[in-house]
Amino acid sequence: MNRVTIFSICASAGFLLYILEMVRRRKLREEYSILWLAGSVVILVLSIKQDWLVGIAHAAGIAYPPSFLFLVGILFILLILIHFSIAISKLHMMNKKMAQEIALMKNDISARGEDFPKHS
Amino acid sequence: MKIQHDTPIVVIPAYQEERSVGDLVRSLRERYPYDVLVVNDGSTDRTSESAREAGAIVLDLPCNLGIGGAVQTAFLYARDHGYDAVVRIDGDGQHEVEDIPKVLEPILAGRADAVIGSRFLGETEYRVSIPRIFGIRFFRLLVNLTTGYRVTDPTSGFFAINRSLIEFYSHHYPSDYPEVDAFILMHRLKSRAVEVPVRMYDRAEGKSSITAFRAVYYMVKVTLSYLINRIRRFG
């Protein structure tokens, strides 16, 4: 095994363990970990099974197999970013609905003549 | 506690308008029997207090949602409290209070679902800058080509809607720059929209939310969401 192989195995395995640990400690929700886990597993497998990497790269017409690894990495990052944009849009919508509900409820409470603490 | 309201409600979205909103609310209350609702869009000044002191119903949003989110809060209020007609005007004195009955009349007569106050119909003294007239012409073309409405002032924030649109908008209303988008929604609902001439003035206080720098973003964003609203499904 050459040095680059050892390096890429260690890096992707370390990354995989880190993600798993974050999920275990509940610092990362499962739904947001799936793409990270899938990405690191794919890169780990391709680092170990280099003949697979070479085979797929050639089948895809890529002359230099490690660039296929980069491609896989970039594609996963893109997917994760799109996933984040969707998640943010959803949070934005939920936040708007909650702000509107709060405004309506505050008005409702004061219309009933009860004192309501004003926000600072 | 659903009450039926026979009076229309005038809706004013306000962000940092402490200097103009009080007088506006007072002149509305003196002149008309309408209820007046100010949506305070997370202002840090005395917008909320001066509107309340002047006799408005005030909804305080806990954070700034932008014009669409603020106006939608008013539609939610109007829906929940059983109002059959909403008039929306700006809080900075740009819209002529005297023209409100004119904007409401086709709604109350049942002749229209939406009435848009246009500054370009009839006699007008409204001065429009070159970039703004370009933008308005662009959106006029977009709306007229895609909907069949004949609109002269597609970005007007002076409009009235009836119960059917209040209910629809309380579910679906664009988040920022909602006026142009609203036409495609109305078109999808087969709403009857008419324009009436109104007077508009240069802003008394504050600055327009559209600075030169944001104009391009505004055009792109509105065009995109407009075209997407054409193919979107509303559940």
Side-chain angles (χ1 to χ4, degrees), chain B residues 10-22 24-25 36-52 56-61 63-71 73-74 88-93 203:
Chain B
V10 180
V11 162
I12 306 163
Y15 177 65
Q16 313 288 62
E17 312 267 23
E18 63 178 3
R19 280 183 290 184
S20 51
V21 80
L24 176 62
V25 171
V36 178
L37 173 67
V38 171
V39 184
N40 167 29
D41 194 7
S43 305
T44 52
D45 63 2
R46 298 190 73 257
T47 298
S48 173
E49 288 84 347
S50 50
R52 204 169 271 123
I57 305 159
V58 178
L59 299 178
D60 287 303
L61 286 165
C63 52
N64 183 267
L65 290 188
I67 191 75
V71 173
T73 314
R88 175 242 188 272
I89 63 168
D90 276 357
D92 57 10
R203 302 173 62 93

mmCIF file of all heavy atoms in Angstrom, chain B residues 10-22 24-25 36-52 56-61 63-71 73-74 88-93 203:
data_model
loop_
_atom_site.group_PDB
_atom_site.id
_atom_site.type_symbol
_atom_site.label_atom_id
_atom_site.label_comp_id
_atom_site.label_asym_id
_atom_site.label_seq_id
_atom_site.Cartn_x
_atom_site.Cartn_y
_atom_site.Cartn_z
ATOM 1 N N VAL B 10 -58.644 48.489 7.341
ATOM 2 C CA VAL B 10 -57.507 49.078 6.632
ATOM 3 C C VAL B 10 -56.233 48.537 7.258
ATOM 4 O O VAL B 10 -56.056 48.600 8.474
ATOM 5 C CB VAL B 10 -57.507 50.617 6.728
ATOM 6 C CG1 VAL B 10 -56.313 51.199 5.974
ATOM 7 C CG2 VAL B 10 -58.806 51.195 6.197
ATOM 8 N N VAL B 11 -55.371 47.986 6.430
ATOM 9 C CA VAL B 11 -54.172 47.324 6.905
ATOM 10 C C VAL B 11 -52.935 48.143 6.540
ATOM 11 O O VAL B 11 -52.781 48.556 5.389
ATOM 12 C CB VAL B 11 -54.088 45.913 6.277
ATOM 13 C CG1 VAL B 11 -52.699 45.351 6.377
ATOM 14 C CG2 VAL B 11 -55.100 44.984 6.930
ATOM 15 N N ILE B 12 -52.100 48.408 7.526
ATOM 16 C CA ILE B 12 -50.889 49.203 7.296
ATOM 17 C C ILE B 12 -49.688 48.436 7.814
ATOM 18 O O ILE B 12 -49.502 48.305 9.021
ATOM 19 C CB ILE B 12 -50.978 50.559 8.036
ATOM 20 C CG1 ILE B 12 -52.262 51.303 7.656
ATOM 21 C CG2 ILE B 12 -49.743 51.408 7.737
ATOM 22 C CD1 ILE B 12 -52.611 52.402 8.633
ATOM 23 N N PRO B 13 -48.854 47.896 6.919
ATOM 24 C CA PRO B 13 -47.608 47.305 7.395
ATOM 25 C C PRO B 13 -46.627 48.425 7.729
ATOM 26 O O PRO B 13 -46.519 49.395 6.975
ATOM 27 C CB PRO B 13 -47.121 46.488 6.188
ATOM 28 C CG PRO B 13 -47.728 47.157 5.006
ATOM 29 C CD PRO B 13 -48.995 47.817 5.464
ATOM 30 N N ALA B 14 -45.963 48.337 8.871
ATOM 31 C CA ALA B 14 -45.105 49.453 9.276
ATOM 32 C C ALA B 14 -43.794 48.955 9.859
ATOM 33 O O ALA B 14 -43.772 48.074 10.717
ATOM 34 C CB ALA B 14 -45.834 50.316 10.304
ATOM 35 N N TYR B 15 -42.724 49.490 9.344
ATOM 36 C CA TYR B 15 -41.408 49.201 9.894
ATOM 37 C C TYR B 15 -40.692 50.531 10.108
ATOM 38 O O TYR B 15 -40.458 51.262 9.149
ATOM 39 C CB TYR B 15 -40.619 48.295 8.955
ATOM 40 C CG TYR B 15 -39.214 48.017 9.442
ATOM 41 C CD1 TYR B 15 -39.022 47.290 10.620
ATOM 42 C CD2 TYR B 15 -38.105 48.486 8.754
ATOM 43 C CE1 TYR B 15 -37.744 47.042 11.086
ATOM 44 C CE2 TYR B 15 -36.826 48.233 9.217
ATOM 45 C CZ TYR B 15 -36.650 47.520 10.387
ATOM 46 O OH TYR B 15 -35.387 47.272 10.853
ATOM 47 N N GLN B 16 -40.395 50.848 11.340
ATOM 48 C CA GLN B 16 -39.737 52.109 11.702
ATOM 49 C C GLN B 16 -40.462 53.323 11.118
ATOM 50 O O GLN B 16 -39.870 54.149 10.443
ATOM 51 C CB GLN B 16 -38.266 52.135 11.227
ATOM 52 C CG GLN B 16 -37.435 50.918 11.520
ATOM 53 C CD GLN B 16 -37.057 50.719 12.974
ATOM 54 O OE1 GLN B 16 -37.921 50.558 13.821
ATOM 55 N NE2 GLN B 16 -35.774 50.733 13.270
ATOM 56 N N GLU B 17 -41.776 53.407 11.383
ATOM 57 C CA GLU B 17 -42.571 54.514 10.845
ATOM 58 C C GLU B 17 -43.136 55.363 11.970
ATOM 59 O O GLU B 17 -44.243 55.896 11.846
ATOM 60 C CB GLU B 17 -43.726 53.988 9.978
ATOM 61 C CG GLU B 17 -43.365 52.949 8.954
ATOM 62 C CD GLU B 17 -43.046 53.524 7.585
ATOM 63 O OE1 GLU B 17 -42.674 54.712 7.516
ATOM 64 O OE2 GLU B 17 -43.153 52.788 6.600
ATOM 65 N N GLU B 18 -42.437 55.501 13.095
ATOM 66 C CA GLU B 18 -43.015 56.195 14.252
ATOM 67 C C GLU B 18 -43.441 57.629 13.928
ATOM 68 O O GLU B 18 -44.368 58.149 14.523
ATOM 69 C CB GLU B 18 -42.041 56.192 15.436
ATOM 70 C CG GLU B 18 -40.747 56.932 15.158
ATOM 71 C CD GLU B 18 -39.812 56.973 16.361
ATOM 72 O OE1 GLU B 18 -40.131 56.387 17.403
ATOM 73 O OE2 GLU B 18 -38.736 57.603 16.235
ATOM 74 N N ARG B 19 -42.773 58.243 12.956
ATOM 75 C CA ARG B 19 -43.080 59.645 12.695
ATOM 76 C C ARG B 19 -44.314 59.839 11.828
ATOM 77 O O ARG B 19 -44.910 60.906 11.811
ATOM 78 C CB ARG B 19 -41.874 60.330 12.047
ATOM 79 C CG ARG B 19 -40.834 60.706 13.091
ATOM 80 C CD ARG B 19 -39.682 61.430 12.470
ATOM 81 N NE ARG B 19 -38.891 60.523 11.641
ATOM 82 C CZ ARG B 19 -37.766 60.879 11.031
ATOM 83 N NH1 ARG B 19 -37.320 62.114 11.123
ATOM 84 N NH2 ARG B 19 -37.093 60.006 10.320
ATOM 85 N N SER B 20 -44.683 58.823 11.042
ATOM 86 C CA SER B 20 -45.829 59.026 10.151
ATOM 87 C C SER B 20 -47.046 58.187 10.509
ATOM 88 O O SER B 20 -48.172 58.577 10.203
ATOM 89 C CB SER B 20 -45.407 58.726 8.710
ATOM 90 O OG SER B 20 -44.784 57.465 8.637
ATOM 91 N N VAL B 21 -46.839 57.037 11.178
ATOM 92 C CA VAL B 21 -47.955 56.100 11.313
ATOM 93 C C VAL B 21 -49.055 56.632 12.232
ATOM 94 O O VAL B 21 -50.247 56.406 11.982
ATOM 95 C CB VAL B 21 -47.443 54.701 11.743
ATOM 96 C CG1 VAL B 21 -47.158 54.617 13.236
ATOM 97 C CG2 VAL B 21 -48.434 53.621 11.351
ATOM 98 N N GLY B 22 -48.670 57.390 13.272
ATOM 99 C CA GLY B 22 -49.673 57.923 14.201
ATOM 100 C C GLY B 22 -50.662 58.851 13.512
ATOM 101 O O GLY B 22 -51.879 58.689 13.632
ATOM 102 N N LEU B 24 -51.297 59.067 10.355
ATOM 103 C CA LEU B 24 -52.043 58.317 9.345
ATOM 104 C C LEU B 24 -53.228 57.606 9.993
ATOM 105 O O LEU B 24 -54.367 57.690 9.509
ATOM 106 C CB LEU B 24 -51.107 57.318 8.659
ATOM 107 C CG LEU B 24 -51.743 56.387 7.631
ATOM 108 C CD1 LEU B 24 -52.333 57.169 6.484
ATOM 109 C CD2 LEU B 24 -50.714 55.381 7.114
ATOM 110 N N VAL B 25 -52.959 56.908 11.096
ATOM 111 C CA VAL B 25 -54.030 56.183 11.789
ATOM 112 C C VAL B 25 -55.105 57.155 12.268
ATOM 113 O O VAL B 25 -56.301 56.913 12.086
ATOM 114 C CB VAL B 25 -53.466 55.362 12.969
ATOM 115 C CG1 VAL B 25 -54.599 54.795 13.824
ATOM 116 C CG2 VAL B 25 -52.566 54.240 12.462
ATOM 117 N N VAL B 36 -58.805 49.884 11.795
ATOM 118 C CA VAL B 36 -57.450 50.134 11.297
ATOM 119 C C VAL B 36 -56.499 49.174 11.994
ATOM 120 O O VAL B 36 -56.471 49.090 13.220
ATOM 121 C CB VAL B 36 -57.012 51.591 11.560
ATOM 122 C CG1 VAL B 36 -55.579 51.803 11.067
ATOM 123 C CG2 VAL B 36 -57.949 52.573 10.879
ATOM 124 N N LEU B 37 -55.752 48.433 11.194
ATOM 125 C CA LEU B 37 -54.822 47.439 11.723
ATOM 126 C C LEU B 37 -53.403 47.778 11.275
ATOM 127 O O LEU B 37 -53.129 47.887 10.085
ATOM 128 C CB LEU B 37 -55.195 46.039 11.214
ATOM 129 C CG LEU B 37 -54.240 44.896 11.537
ATOM 130 C CD1 LEU B 37 -54.221 44.614 13.028
ATOM 131 C CD2 LEU B 37 -54.629 43.639 10.778
ATOM 132 N N VAL B 38 -52.525 47.979 12.243
ATOM 133 C CA VAL B 38 -51.121 48.220 11.918
ATOM 134 C C VAL B 38 -50.333 46.959 12.253
ATOM 135 O O VAL B 38 -50.441 46.432 13.358
ATOM 136 C CB VAL B 38 -50.571 49.429 12.698
ATOM 137 C CG1 VAL B 38 -49.057 49.534 12.537
ATOM 138 C CG2 VAL B 38 -51.236 50.714 12.236
ATOM 139 N N VAL B 39 -49.577 46.452 11.273
ATOM 140 C CA VAL B 39 -48.690 45.326 11.551
ATOM 141 C C VAL B 39 -47.290 45.893 11.725
ATOM 142 O O VAL B 39 -46.673 46.379 10.776
ATOM 143 C CB VAL B 39 -48.712 44.283 10.413
ATOM 144 C CG1 VAL B 39 -47.842 43.095 10.791
ATOM 145 C CG2 VAL B 39 -50.127 43.827 10.130
ATOM 146 N N ASN B 40 -46.832 45.862 12.965
ATOM 147 C CA ASN B 40 -45.504 46.371 13.268
ATOM 148 C C ASN B 40 -44.491 45.271 12.984
ATOM 149 O O ASN B 40 -44.404 44.283 13.694
ATOM 150 C CB ASN B 40 -45.470 46.799 14.733
ATOM 151 C CG ASN B 40 -44.072 47.043 15.230
ATOM 152 O OD1 ASN B 40 -43.193 47.416 14.465
ATOM 153 N ND2 ASN B 40 -43.853 46.821 16.509
ATOM 154 N N ASP B 41 -43.718 45.449 11.924
ATOM 155 C CA ASP B 41 -42.826 44.394 11.438
ATOM 156 C C ASP B 41 -41.482 44.414 12.174
ATOM 157 O O ASP B 41 -40.427 44.593 11.571
ATOM 158 C CB ASP B 41 -42.620 44.559 9.933
ATOM 159 C CG ASP B 41 -41.992 43.316 9.308
ATOM 160 O OD1 ASP B 41 -41.857 42.305 10.019
ATOM 161 O OD2 ASP B 41 -41.646 43.371 8.118
ATOM 162 N N GLY B 42 -41.543 44.244 13.484
ATOM 163 C CA GLY B 42 -40.311 44.174 14.269
ATOM 164 C C GLY B 42 -39.566 45.495 14.387
ATOM 165 O O GLY B 42 -38.337 45.505 14.472
ATOM 166 N N SER B 43 -40.303 46.617 14.408
ATOM 167 C CA SER B 43 -39.644 47.923 14.539
ATOM 168 C C SER B 43 -38.988 48.050 15.911
ATOM 169 O O SER B 43 -39.468 47.499 16.898
ATOM 170 C CB SER B 43 -40.660 49.054 14.409
ATOM 171 O OG SER B 43 -41.387 48.947 13.225
ATOM 172 N N THR B 44 -37.903 48.810 15.964
ATOM 173 C CA THR B 44 -37.251 49.062 17.249
ATOM 174 C C THR B 44 -37.590 50.458 17.774
ATOM 175 O O THR B 44 -37.176 50.822 18.862
ATOM 176 C CB THR B 44 -35.720 48.928 17.112
ATOM 177 O OG1 THR B 44 -35.292 49.745 16.024
ATOM 178 C CG2 THR B 44 -35.311 47.494 16.845
ATOM 179 N N ASP B 45 -38.325 51.245 16.979
ATOM 180 C CA ASP B 45 -38.718 52.585 17.449
ATOM 181 C C ASP B 45 -40.134 52.521 18.044
ATOM 182 O O ASP B 45 -40.617 51.461 18.407
ATOM 183 C CB ASP B 45 -38.625 53.600 16.304
ATOM 184 C CG ASP B 45 -39.586 53.272 15.170
ATOM 185 O OD1 ASP B 45 -40.350 52.286 15.301
ATOM 186 O OD2 ASP B 45 -39.579 54.000 14.163
ATOM 187 N N ARG B 46 -40.806 53.665 18.132
ATOM 188 C CA ARG B 46 -42.110 53.697 18.792
ATOM 189 C C ARG B 46 -43.278 53.497 17.825
ATOM 190 O O ARG B 46 -44.386 53.983 18.059
ATOM 191 C CB ARG B 46 -42.266 55.012 19.578
ATOM 192 C CG ARG B 46 -41.250 55.180 20.697
ATOM 193 C CD ARG B 46 -41.561 56.359 21.605
ATOM 194 N NE ARG B 46 -42.717 56.092 22.472
ATOM 195 C CZ ARG B 46 -43.944 56.559 22.291
ATOM 196 N NH1 ARG B 46 -44.218 57.322 21.239
ATOM 197 N NH2 ARG B 46 -44.911 56.281 23.128
ATOM 198 N N THR B 47 -43.056 52.808 16.722
ATOM 199 C CA THR B 47 -44.125 52.546 15.745
ATOM 200 C C THR B 47 -45.359 51.946 16.408
ATOM 201 O O THR B 47 -46.484 52.422 16.221
ATOM 202 C CB THR B 47 -43.602 51.587 14.651
ATOM 203 O OG1 THR B 47 -42.529 52.218 13.968
ATOM 204 C CG2 THR B 47 -44.695 51.246 13.662
ATOM 205 N N SER B 48 -45.118 50.906 17.199
ATOM 206 C CA SER B 48 -46.226 50.184 17.814
ATOM 207 C C SER B 48 -47.013 51.078 18.766
ATOM 208 O O SER B 48 -48.246 51.154 18.689
ATOM 209 C CB SER B 48 -45.660 48.969 18.552
ATOM 210 O OG SER B 48 -46.657 48.326 19.283
ATOM 211 N N GLU B 49 -46.306 51.814 19.631
ATOM 212 C CA GLU B 49 -46.971 52.671 20.623
ATOM 213 C C GLU B 49 -47.764 53.771 19.941
ATOM 214 O O GLU B 49 -48.925 54.015 20.284
ATOM 215 C CB GLU B 49 -45.950 53.309 21.579
ATOM 216 C CG GLU B 49 -45.327 52.349 22.582
ATOM 217 C CD GLU B 49 -44.135 51.580 22.011
ATOM 218 O OE1 GLU B 49 -43.956 51.614 20.763
ATOM 219 O OE2 GLU B 49 -43.403 50.962 22.781
ATOM 220 N N SER B 50 -47.148 54.445 18.952
ATOM 221 C CA SER B 50 -47.868 55.585 18.363
ATOM 222 C C SER B 50 -49.069 55.107 17.559
ATOM 223 O O SER B 50 -50.089 55.794 17.517
ATOM 224 C CB SER B 50 -46.933 56.472 17.527
ATOM 225 O OG SER B 50 -46.194 55.721 16.633
ATOM 226 N N ALA B 51 -48.991 53.923 16.966
ATOM 227 C CA ALA B 51 -50.163 53.400 16.252
ATOM 228 C C ALA B 51 -51.275 53.071 17.234
ATOM 229 O O ALA B 51 -52.444 53.376 16.999
ATOM 230 C CB ALA B 51 -49.776 52.152 15.457
ATOM 231 N N ARG B 52 -50.899 52.478 18.359
ATOM 232 C CA ARG B 52 -51.890 52.084 19.365
ATOM 233 C C ARG B 52 -52.547 53.329 19.989
ATOM 234 O O ARG B 52 -53.759 53.377 20.148
ATOM 235 C CB ARG B 52 -51.216 51.235 20.442
ATOM 236 C CG ARG B 52 -52.187 50.328 21.172
ATOM 237 C CD ARG B 52 -51.472 49.302 22.040
ATOM 238 N NE ARG B 52 -51.156 48.086 21.322
ATOM 239 C CZ ARG B 52 -49.940 47.583 21.191
ATOM 240 N NH1 ARG B 52 -48.912 48.195 21.698
ATOM 241 N NH2 ARG B 52 -49.754 46.450 20.542
ATOM 242 N N ALA B 56 -55.300 52.380 16.592
ATOM 243 C CA ALA B 56 -55.250 51.229 15.691
ATOM 244 C C ALA B 56 -55.196 49.933 16.496
ATOM 245 O O ALA B 56 -54.756 49.927 17.641
ATOM 246 C CB ALA B 56 -54.024 51.316 14.788
ATOM 247 N N ILE B 57 -55.653 48.864 15.878
ATOM 248 C CA ILE B 57 -55.351 47.535 16.378
ATOM 249 C C ILE B 57 -53.909 47.273 15.946
ATOM 250 O O ILE B 57 -53.555 47.553 14.799
ATOM 251 C CB ILE B 57 -56.268 46.478 15.731
ATOM 252 C CG1 ILE B 57 -57.735 46.846 15.927
ATOM 253 C CG2 ILE B 57 -55.964 45.092 16.269
ATOM 254 C CD1 ILE B 57 -58.664 46.163 14.929
ATOM 255 N N VAL B 58 -53.057 46.786 16.844
ATOM 256 C CA VAL B 58 -51.657 46.606 16.468
ATOM 257 C C VAL B 58 -51.240 45.152 16.653
ATOM 258 O O VAL B 58 -51.520 44.541 17.678
ATOM 259 C CB VAL B 58 -50.734 47.517 17.314
ATOM 260 C CG1 VAL B 58 -49.274 47.282 16.930
ATOM 261 C CG2 VAL B 58 -51.100 48.978 17.127
ATOM 262 N N LEU B 59 -50.615 44.612 15.616
ATOM 263 C CA LEU B 59 -49.995 43.295 15.722
ATOM 264 C C LEU B 59 -48.484 43.499 15.737
ATOM 265 O O LEU B 59 -47.934 44.090 14.816
ATOM 266 C CB LEU B 59 -50.381 42.410 14.533
ATOM 267 C CG LEU B 59 -51.861 42.088 14.335
ATOM 268 C CD1 LEU B 59 -52.053 41.245 13.082
ATOM 269 C CD2 LEU B 59 -52.413 41.350 15.546
ATOM 270 N N ASP B 60 -47.835 43.035 16.806
ATOM 271 C CA ASP B 60 -46.385 43.195 16.908
ATOM 272 C C ASP B 60 -45.697 41.902 16.522
ATOM 273 O O ASP B 60 -45.784 40.908 17.247
ATOM 274 C CB ASP B 60 -46.000 43.558 18.349
ATOM 275 C CG ASP B 60 -46.373 44.981 18.701
ATOM 276 O OD1 ASP B 60 -45.923 45.890 17.994
ATOM 277 O OD2 ASP B 60 -47.125 45.168 19.686
ATOM 278 N N LEU B 61 -45.006 41.920 15.394
ATOM 279 C CA LEU B 61 -44.220 40.737 15.025
ATOM 280 C C LEU B 61 -42.939 40.732 15.850
ATOM 281 O O LEU B 61 -42.323 41.777 16.027
ATOM 282 C CB LEU B 61 -43.904 40.762 13.525
ATOM 283 C CG LEU B 61 -45.089 40.436 12.616
ATOM 284 C CD1 LEU B 61 -44.793 40.846 11.178
ATOM 285 C CD2 LEU B 61 -45.410 38.950 12.673
ATOM 286 N N CYS B 63 -40.072 39.576 15.142
ATOM 287 C CA CYS B 63 -38.868 39.877 14.360
ATOM 288 C C CYS B 63 -39.310 40.395 13.001
ATOM 289 O O CYS B 63 -40.474 40.278 12.638
ATOM 290 C CB CYS B 63 -37.985 38.642 14.208
ATOM 291 S SG CYS B 63 -38.863 37.211 13.588
ATOM 292 N N ASN B 64 -38.415 40.973 12.249
ATOM 293 C CA ASN B 64 -38.734 41.556 10.955
ATOM 294 C C ASN B 64 -38.937 40.463 9.914
ATOM 295 O O ASN B 64 -38.007 39.715 9.602
ATOM 296 C CB ASN B 64 -37.608 42.516 10.531
ATOM 297 C CG ASN B 64 -37.938 43.206 9.236
ATOM 298 O OD1 ASN B 64 -37.556 42.738 8.171
ATOM 299 N ND2 ASN B 64 -38.659 44.290 9.287
ATOM 300 N N LEU B 65 -40.145 40.353 9.386
ATOM 301 C CA LEU B 65 -40.433 39.302 8.401
ATOM 302 C C LEU B 65 -40.341 39.812 6.977
ATOM 303 O O LEU B 65 -40.337 39.030 6.046
ATOM 304 C CB LEU B 65 -41.841 38.745 8.619
ATOM 305 C CG LEU B 65 -42.105 37.902 9.859
ATOM 306 C CD1 LEU B 65 -43.499 37.304 9.780
ATOM 307 C CD2 LEU B 65 -41.081 36.795 10.004
ATOM 308 N N GLY B 66 -40.295 41.107 6.792
ATOM 309 C CA GLY B 66 -40.375 41.642 5.434
ATOM 310 C C GLY B 66 -41.832 41.907 5.096
ATOM 311 O O GLY B 66 -42.751 41.394 5.751
ATOM 312 N N ILE B 67 -42.029 42.700 4.040
ATOM 313 C CA ILE B 67 -43.363 43.222 3.747
ATOM 314 C C ILE B 67 -44.400 42.120 3.524
ATOM 315 O O ILE B 67 -45.520 42.188 4.039
ATOM 316 C CB ILE B 67 -43.286 44.210 2.543
ATOM 317 C CG1 ILE B 67 -44.578 44.970 2.371
ATOM 318 C CG2 ILE B 67 -42.919 43.517 1.268
ATOM 319 C CD1 ILE B 67 -44.750 46.045 3.395
ATOM 320 N N GLY B 68 -44.026 41.071 2.796
ATOM 321 C CA GLY B 68 -44.998 40.013 2.485
ATOM 322 C C GLY B 68 -45.472 39.292 3.740
ATOM 323 O O GLY B 68 -46.676 39.087 3.936
ATOM 324 N N GLY B 69 -44.514 38.930 4.597
ATOM 325 C CA GLY B 69 -44.862 38.235 5.832
ATOM 326 C C GLY B 69 -45.709 39.103 6.742
ATOM 327 O O GLY B 69 -46.627 38.613 7.411
ATOM 328 N N ALA B 70 -45.427 40.413 6.759
ATOM 329 C CA ALA B 70 -46.187 41.332 7.602
ATOM 330 C C ALA B 70 -47.616 41.472 7.086
ATOM 331 O O ALA B 70 -48.579 41.385 7.849
ATOM 332 C CB ALA B 70 -45.500 42.695 7.645
ATOM 333 N N VAL B 71 -47.752 41.674 5.776
ATOM 334 C CA VAL B 71 -49.094 41.838 5.206
ATOM 335 C C VAL B 71 -49.895 40.545 5.369
ATOM 336 O O VAL B 71 -51.091 40.561 5.662
ATOM 337 C CB VAL B 71 -48.991 42.263 3.720
ATOM 338 C CG1 VAL B 71 -50.355 42.266 3.062
ATOM 339 C CG2 VAL B 71 -48.362 43.639 3.607
ATOM 340 N N THR B 73 -49.698 38.506 7.816
ATOM 341 C CA THR B 73 -50.183 38.463 9.202
ATOM 342 C C THR B 73 -51.514 39.203 9.306
ATOM 343 O O THR B 73 -52.429 38.757 10.002
ATOM 344 C CB THR B 73 -49.149 39.103 10.146
ATOM 345 O OG1 THR B 73 -47.855 38.608 9.824
ATOM 346 C CG2 THR B 73 -49.453 38.756 11.588
ATOM 347 N N ALA B 74 -51.613 40.322 8.593
ATOM 348 C CA ALA B 74 -52.871 41.076 8.584
ATOM 349 C C ALA B 74 -53.991 40.264 7.934
ATOM 350 O O ALA B 74 -55.130 40.284 8.403
ATOM 351 C CB ALA B 74 -52.682 42.395 7.849
ATOM 352 N N ARG B 88 -55.199 47.684 1.831
ATOM 353 C CA ARG B 88 -53.840 47.775 2.313
ATOM 354 C C ARG B 88 -53.228 49.065 1.800
ATOM 355 O O ARG B 88 -53.310 49.377 0.607
ATOM 356 C CB ARG B 88 -53.055 46.556 1.814
ATOM 357 C CG ARG B 88 -51.575 46.562 2.138
ATOM 358 C CD ARG B 88 -50.817 46.561 0.827
ATOM 359 N NE ARG B 88 -49.393 46.385 0.986
ATOM 360 C CZ ARG B 88 -48.538 47.389 1.179
ATOM 361 N NH1 ARG B 88 -48.966 48.623 1.297
ATOM 362 N NH2 ARG B 88 -47.245 47.156 1.257
ATOM 363 N N ILE B 89 -52.671 49.851 2.713
ATOM 364 C CA ILE B 89 -51.977 51.075 2.303
ATOM 365 C C ILE B 89 -50.618 51.143 2.990
ATOM 366 O O ILE B 89 -50.371 50.444 3.969
ATOM 367 C CB ILE B 89 -52.786 52.366 2.631
ATOM 368 C CG1 ILE B 89 -52.983 52.510 4.138
ATOM 369 C CG2 ILE B 89 -54.107 52.386 1.905
ATOM 370 C CD1 ILE B 89 -53.517 53.887 4.529
ATOM 371 N N ASP B 90 -49.760 51.996 2.473
ATOM 372 C CA ASP B 90 -48.435 52.163 3.063
ATOM 373 C C ASP B 90 -48.516 53.034 4.317
ATOM 374 O O ASP B 90 -49.400 53.880 4.444
ATOM 375 C CB ASP B 90 -47.488 52.832 2.057
ATOM 376 C CG ASP B 90 -46.878 51.819 1.102
ATOM 377 O OD1 ASP B 90 -47.154 50.611 1.272
ATOM 378 O OD2 ASP B 90 -46.136 52.235 0.200
ATOM 379 N N GLY B 91 -47.534 52.842 5.203
ATOM 380 C CA GLY B 91 -47.539 53.574 6.461
ATOM 381 C C GLY B 91 -46.786 54.896 6.405
ATOM 382 O O GLY B 91 -46.669 55.597 7.404
ATOM 383 N N ASP B 92 -46.259 55.254 5.244
ATOM 384 C CA ASP B 92 -45.378 56.424 5.181
ATOM 385 C C ASP B 92 -46.034 57.624 4.513
ATOM 386 O O ASP B 92 -45.357 58.589 4.171
ATOM 387 C CB ASP B 92 -44.100 56.050 4.432
ATOM 388 C CG ASP B 92 -44.390 55.514 3.054
ATOM 389 O OD1 ASP B 92 -45.548 55.597 2.611
ATOM 390 O OD2 ASP B 92 -43.464 54.992 2.420
ATOM 391 N N GLY B 93 -47.353 57.564 4.301
ATOM 392 C CA GLY B 93 -48.039 58.708 3.724
ATOM 393 C C GLY B 93 -47.948 58.799 2.212
ATOM 394 O O GLY B 93 -48.271 59.836 1.636
ATOM 395 N N ARG B 203 -42.459 59.906 -0.811
ATOM 396 C CA ARG B 203 -42.461 59.509 0.593
ATOM 397 C C ARG B 203 -42.244 60.697 1.520
ATOM 398 O O ARG B 203 -41.357 61.511 1.302
ATOM 399 C CB ARG B 203 -41.364 58.476 0.837
ATOM 400 C CG ARG B 203 -41.521 57.257 -0.019
ATOM 401 C CD ARG B 203 -40.328 56.362 0.135
ATOM 402 N NE ARG B 203 -40.203 55.906 1.513
ATOM 403 C CZ ARG B 203 -40.717 54.768 1.960
ATOM 404 N NH1 ARG B 203 -41.398 54.004 1.164
ATOM 405 N NH2 ARG B 203 -40.538 54.409 3.204
#
